[in-house]
Amino acid sequence: MSKALTVKNTFNMSLSNYEELKKLVENKSISSITEGINLGIELLIKEKRMENYRNQMAKAAKDKEFMRRTLSSQNEFDKLHDEVLGEW
């Protein structure tokens, strides 16, 4: 968890989630309920970013011009990569 600027906020959570977070603090799996909440939010954000990225890539894969440009770039990179390996 990063030590960035923080914002104080009030929100509601289910009693069962709260109790589970308390147990994690008690057995020292996390240092505080706040840490648990922040870690959960960070995980959610990462998962949603990856989901959005996969959706964008799936959409791009259907775009013939995008695929042509991508494959062309990859072919050029492969040629350069082969030349560099050949020199060593």
Side-chain angles (χ1 to χ4, degrees):
M1 184 173 70
S2 65
K3 297 289 182 184
L5 296 175
T6 61
V7 175
K8 189 170 184 168
N9 197 349
T10 302
F11 61 93
N12 296 312
M13 76 169 70
S14 71
L15 180 59
S16 62
N17 286 342
Y18 178 74
E19 294 296 331
E20 289 297 322
L21 284 171
K22 280 179 35 178
K23 287 178 190 175
L24 291 172
V25 172
E26 289 168 7
N27 70 25
K28 301 190 184 332
S29 295
I30 57 175
S31 64
S32 67
I33 290 175
T34 299
E35 179 188 17
I37 292 167
N38 283 321
L39 289 170
I41 291 169
E42 287 175 14
L43 180 60
L44 173 68
I45 290 169
K46 286 178 187 175
E47 287 177 0
K48 290 300 177 182
R49 283 182 179 164
M50 283 304 296
E51 182 181 318
N52 288 338
Y53 177 77
R54 284 191 298 272
N55 290 339
Q56 289 172 346
M57 289 296 104
K59 183 179 176 183
K62 294 176 184 176
D63 180 344
K64 290 180 182 181
E65 184 59 24
F66 172 81
M67 291 304 296
R68 185 194 64 73
R69 289 190 317 269
T70 300
L71 294 173
S72 174
S73 295
Q74 183 62 47
N75 287 336
E76 292 301 316
F77 176 79
D78 288 344
K79 288 177 192 174
L80 290 173
H81 187 258
D82 289 343
E83 289 175 13
V84 169
L85 289 178
E87 292 176 7
W88 295 99

